[in-house]
Amino acid sequence: MVLISATVLGSGTAVAETNEGCSILEQLGDRVEGEVSPSACAFITKQTAFGAMRSETPEARDARVRLYGSIFAVDGTLAESGSAPPVAGRANIANSLRTLLNAFPTFRFTPVKIVVNGDAVFYEADNEMTIRGEVVRYPAVYRVVLTSGEVVQGRRYHDRTEWFRPIEKDALRELFTGVADNCPRRGPAFTGPGLTEPVTDPLCHAAYLGRLSGAMTDVRLTADQAAAGPHTLFQEYRGTVRAKGRTIEYGMIVGTEPGRVRYYFDTLPLSYDDSEIAGLFTKLVTGAALPAR
């Protein structure tokens, strides 16, 4: 598996003066890198507002769903980083969000780093929602391609396995169990699914990537979208892999900055087959607390 040979970025494209006129940049400050066009500004503004909205009442959920739908083009698509097929069309994307918010009205996120490359935007965020009374927090990158300020292709990169931690408890299958138990050496830090804090040991880094490689065969991932700023580079890889007895559409994002590498991918389809995933989601939705009314 040769695609994950990320190097730490030392320099990149400067933030352009044409960012002036995009008011959301004043709020986000140095969390945004790259030249922000009016199209990118429109997306970043709506995405940030959506992430902060509350949705504990039917009226609030309706408003939030309307805003989310307006982010996408009429024929836009939205896909997960793992095995789930893309959702096609603005109406279907909005309805999928409504289902999520009905089950988990506390879902919210805050921006961490946003890097723009023309019509491609990488929006890194800290997500959280309450599942079975437990607050679940997990990082994500939302990678979009824009036309006239609307998302024509959206992809979410995060580890859905985290959603099932309050449900499965100790029975949850975790790809990287124990990989960071003894990592005293110093080197560039890395983070990724299955890790609760950055790890700096190069041997543990190699073991982590080895564990990931061992969960896949017939890996056919190639570089897709990328965006670089003065401090941060995001590189997307897309294609297919074989895992748990089937071939799946798969992808990941590697983020680099001075002294740190960040991995974003979904371990769920690497640890569970399709029927098992369907069973997990049935537990997730049917066991969710009813939203406040």
Side-chain angles (χ1 to χ4, degrees):
M1 186 174 180
V2 298
L3 67 117
I4 313 174
S5 57
T7 57
V8 177
L9 186 70
S11 61
T13 304
V15 178
E17 293 181 1
T18 52
N19 289 351
E20 294 180 4
C22 182
S23 60
I24 189 68
L25 300 183
E26 298 178 8
Q27 173 186 330
L28 297 175
D30 60 7
R31 284 179 285 181
V32 180
E33 298 182 22
E35 181 177 345
V36 179
S37 66
S39 183
C41 178
F43 165 72
I44 294 168
T45 300
K46 288 185 176 182
Q47 179 81 347
T48 303
F50 165 74
M53 292 178 75
R54 306 192 67 86
S55 43
E56 282 85 352
T57 68
E59 295 77 17
R61 286 193 294 279
D62 287 344
R64 200 172 185 193
V65 168
R66 285 195 299 272
L67 175 60
Y68 192 65
S70 74
I71 292 175
F72 290 85
V74 171
D75 58 350
T77 62
L78 177 63
E80 297 284 355
S81 61
S83 57
V87 181
R90 176 190 291 162
N92 291 329
I93 292 170
N95 285 335
S96 71
L97 174 70
R98 188 182 300 278
T99 299
L100 172 71
L101 295 182
N102 283 341
F104 306 103
T106 59
F107 170 72
R108 302 176 74 186
F109 61 78
T110 56
V112 174
K113 180 65 69 174
I114 302 163
V115 185
V116 182
N117 177 20
D119 291 328
V121 180
F122 290 72
Y123 190 110
E124 183 183 25
D126 281 335
N127 291 15
E128 72 170 51
M129 60 185 179
T130 302
I131 300 175
R132 300 283 182 91
E134 296 184 25
V135 177
V136 176
R137 296 183 175 89
Y138 57 96
V141 172
Y142 303 96
R143 197 283 284 150
V144 302
V145 174
L146 305 167
T147 297
S148 301
E150 295 181 331
V151 174
V152 293
Q153 184 194 69
R155 292 174 179 160
R156 294 188 290 219
Y157 289 85
H158 57 96
D159 188 11
R160 293 179 295 165
T161 300
E162 293 298 325
W163 295 351
F164 303 100
R165 194 172 300 281
I167 299 170
E168 295 297 287
K169 305 293 185 180
D170 293 339
L172 186 68
R173 296 177 198 166
E174 301 198 56
L175 187 59
F176 301 107
T177 300
V179 76
D181 285 352
N182 183 23
C183 301
R185 300 165 188 84
R186 303 297 298 176
F190 78 97
T191 61
L195 300 176
T196 57
E197 59 186 16
V199 176
T200 62
D201 192 323
L203 292 181
C204 290
H205 196 166
Y208 182 90
L209 297 181
R211 192 82 62 87
L212 175 60
S213 297
M216 307 174 180
T217 59
D218 195 21
V219 177
R220 301 176 183 272
L221 303 183
T222 58
D224 197 337
Q225 298 290 335
H231 308 292
T232 307
L233 167 67
F234 285 118
Q235 175 66 64
E236 176 188 33
Y237 298 92
R238 291 291 300 182
T240 61
V241 303
R242 189 160 180 81
K244 302 299 288 185
R246 84 287 202 211
T247 298
I248 57 174
E249 295 288 331
Y250 200 72
M252 62 179 63
I253 286 176
V254 180
T256 57
E257 62 187 33
R260 187 181 179 193
V261 179
R262 310 192 297 285
Y263 298 107
Y264 292 90
F265 54 87
D266 189 8
T267 67
L268 190 66
L270 307 181
S271 301
Y272 295 86
D273 64 26
D274 292 340
S275 63
E276 291 172 324
I277 291 174
L280 286 173
F281 273 96
T282 297
K283 289 183 184 180
L284 182 70
V285 174
T286 59
L290 293 175
R293 293 187 179 276

